[in-house]
Amino acid sequence: MSWWRDAVVYAVDVRAFTEQGLDGVRERLGYLELLDVDAVALGPSAVCGPGGEPPAPPDPLARLTDRARAAGLRVLTGLAPGHVTTDHEWFREALHSDPGSAARERLHVRRGRGPSGSLPPTGWRDLAGGPAWSRLGSGEDWYLHLPGPGLPDVNWADPEVWAETEKAIRSWCDRGVDGLWIDGAHLLSPRPSFDEDPRPDERGPLSEPDDPRTDLPGVHEAHRTVRAVLDHYPGRIAAAGVDVADPERFAAYGRPDELHLAVQQGLRYVPFDAGRIREVVDGSLRATRASGATPGWSLCRPGDARAATRFGGRDRARAMALLLLALPGTAVLDAGEELCLPGWGTPVPGVAREPFAWAEAQTQLEDPTSALSLHRRALELRRTHPGFTSVAGTDELEWFGAPDGCLAFRRPGSSLVCALNTSAAPVPLPPGELLISSRSAPVDVLPAYSSAWLT
């Protein structure tokens, strides 16, 4: 059985988690052991892109991986194969090179429109919401930065881009990490055309069928080349959150020769509505079964509003947490979500999420009714209950009839049932022994805005 199958990955924005960088993460691994997760994914300060290498040992990452391995935790480090920064030597070379030069071919550089190239090549918006093009020096050329300002896209049609990416992957794997968390997985492409975005005024983090900026055919060739390198390192994986709305197109990223783990992003956008949630889950599971992919799920990621804010309250966030952890496949927790605190996130690249609430975490550790205690109990059940351990490799859910505003399903091959009530009124619990509930209530009641596991 692949180690990432049914794992719980804890995604850390290193800058927000601790002021001491990777050494600070290492010192906080005891908290992750208490939480009982399986792996930690590091980003974005740990991210390495094309042309970058880990520092020479001894270094903070080596100390972190050694400590994590002793604690039974896996470590995934960030990789950004689709872009560099404006501090990167490739960008500096392009800035000081002539139009049409090899240095500019590494990036996506196009001549501007209008007199003297004074207008950007297209009206595209980047994923932070601003213009996706900036002028390259004082001439007529512009460079593309879809991830956001200061993050120029690289051209995967250029052989040097792939060669340096392969070098970076081998460097990290030789250093002993358990895998790579790929940033912007749906953006990798040689980009053969630059059609106008039909929705130029939208931020467009979700890829639509007519969105020319993302999920282009060349993206899959790029992931196959990454996978070909990782296949020389048994047990190492490539994982990513794939921001593609269509279930079939999303699932293609998790085919056997591409990502080991593609994390479905639909739950990041779905409203707190049982019918819509079921549609997302059903569509994703059908598609991943067809492609042979491992299901992966998350409620948010760094830069997003916290679940308590997006879903409309802490009770709803607690309910969605139990739903997330009941789904077959791999669950990804954004660091701090286990506290179910509100927060708006920081979608601007280069700006960290709010600092991790360590004082709140300590308080919640001592409170058996807290959101943190709820997560710890759910993760313990996920690791030990036969309803989770006996169904590895099976993704078919059995759905039950449920009152309006509710859903209920049985995990595959087991007696474990998850019920979710997104309505404003309490409803009867399904039959069975109650294992855990996101809100306290009489034993036969599922309160408003709550969820429960039964067997």
Side-chain angles (χ1 to χ4, degrees):
M1 178 58 64
S2 304
W3 69 259
W4 60 91
R5 172 72 191 187
D6 295 319
V8 177
V9 179
Y10 194 74
V12 170
D13 183 336
V14 175
R15 304 161 302 179
F17 197 64
T18 170
E19 296 179 352
Q20 288 77 45
L22 294 180
D23 280 331
V25 176
R26 175 175 54 86
E27 293 171 2
R28 298 287 191 176
L29 286 180
Y31 175 76
L32 274 64
E33 292 180 79
L34 284 173
L35 191 57
D36 204 14
V37 298
D38 301 289
V40 56
L42 304 170
S45 63
V47 167
C48 173
E53 296 184 32
D59 67 82
L61 180 64
R63 293 191 290 269
L64 171 59
T65 54
D66 287 346
R67 170 70 177 82
R69 190 167 291 112
L73 289 165
R74 311 264 184 175
V75 177
L76 309 180
T77 193
L79 182 76
H83 63 267
V84 292
T85 70
T86 49
D87 294 327
H88 195 282
E89 62 177 317
W90 285 1
F91 182 80
R92 294 195 299 269
E93 289 177 12
L95 184 63
H96 298 295
S97 298
D98 295 328
S101 65
R104 295 198 174 189
E105 282 299 310
R106 297 190 196 112
L107 309 180
H108 289 301
V109 176
R110 291 291 183 275
R111 184 185 182 280
R113 297 174 296 167
S116 303
S118 59
L119 299 175
T122 71
W124 290 9
R125 314 296 290 179
D126 65 29
L127 299 188
W133 297 92
S134 293
R135 294 194 82 148
L136 187 61
S138 57
E140 299 182 5
D141 278 353
W142 296 65
Y143 68 93
L144 183 68
H145 48 80
L146 279 179
L151 300 173
D153 291 79
V154 295
N155 176 17
W156 267 68
D158 187 284
E160 190 174 359
V161 170
W162 163 238
E164 289 299 317
T165 301
E166 179 179 4
K167 182 179 177 182
I169 293 171
R170 292 185 181 278
S171 294
W172 285 117
C173 290
D174 291 341
R175 188 59 55 89
V177 300
D178 296 288
L180 306 170
W181 191 268
I182 296 179
D183 185 49
H186 55 301
L187 301 179
L188 306 185
S189 176
R191 272 180 235 292
S193 65
F194 286 85
D195 298 328
E196 188 63 74
D197 189 340
R199 306 166 302 129
D201 295 328
E202 295 189 18
R203 284 178 55 186
L206 268 177
S207 177
E208 300 292 344
D210 60 352
D211 186 338
R213 305 168 305 164
T214 66
D215 191 37
L216 298 178
V219 72
H220 297 290
E221 181 180 355
H223 284 296
R224 284 191 288 270
T225 55
V226 171
R227 178 64 178 263
V229 177
L230 286 174
D231 283 345
H232 292 286
Y233 295 87
R236 305 322 204 282
I237 71 168
V242 178
D243 217 348
V244 173
D246 180 80
E248 284 73 25
R249 291 168 60 201
F250 156 76
Y253 288 80
R255 289 180 293 206
D257 61 347
E258 296 192 36
L259 293 171
H260 297 81
L261 175 64
V263 180
Q264 160 62 250
Q265 303 294 285
L267 293 178
R268 293 178 49 224
Y269 303 102
V270 71
F272 191 69
D273 175 88
R276 296 285 299 279
I277 293 166
R278 176 172 173 171
E279 288 176 6
V280 168
V281 171
D282 253 349
S284 180
L285 288 179
R286 282 196 303 270
T288 53
R289 281 196 298 271
S291 68
T294 296
W297 314 91
S298 66
L299 296 180
C300 71
R301 64 183 181 185
D304 290 348
R306 292 290 190 190
T309 296
R310 189 168 67 80
F311 289 119
R314 298 179 73 173
D315 285 343
R316 298 182 182 198
R318 289 167 64 110
M320 290 299 294
L322 285 190
L323 175 99
L324 173 80
L325 295 174
L327 293 171
T330 303
V332 179
L333 291 178
D334 182 39
E337 278 299 293
E338 69 277 11
L339 305 179
C340 290
L341 298 176
W344 287 102
T346 54
V348 178
V351 178
R353 188 186 266 294
E354 72 279 0
F356 189 93
W358 286 109
E360 175 71 15
Q362 183 59 47
T363 298
Q364 291 200 21
L365 277 172
E366 300 167 359
D367 178 2
T369 68
S370 70
L372 178 54
S373 295
L374 177 76
H375 277 78
R376 292 183 66 196
R377 175 59 177 152
L379 288 169
E380 179 187 15
L381 287 169
R382 185 179 168 105
R383 188 178 296 278
T384 62
H385 193 277
F388 292 95
T389 58
S390 65
V391 297
T394 306
D395 302 329
E396 194 86 35
L397 294 181
E398 180 183 353
W399 294 95
F400 298 104
D404 289 344
C406 301
L407 63 79
F409 62 81
R410 178 182 287 125
R411 282 184 55 89
S414 79
S415 62
L416 192 142
V417 172
C418 176
L420 171 69
N421 181 5
T422 63
S423 75
V427 299
L429 270 174
E433 176 188 353
L434 181 65
L435 294 175
I436 188 173
S437 177
S438 67
R439 292 184 65 187
S440 59
V443 294
D444 59 347
V445 171
L446 185 63
Y449 314 139
S450 73
S451 60
W453 297 352
L454 308 98
T455 188

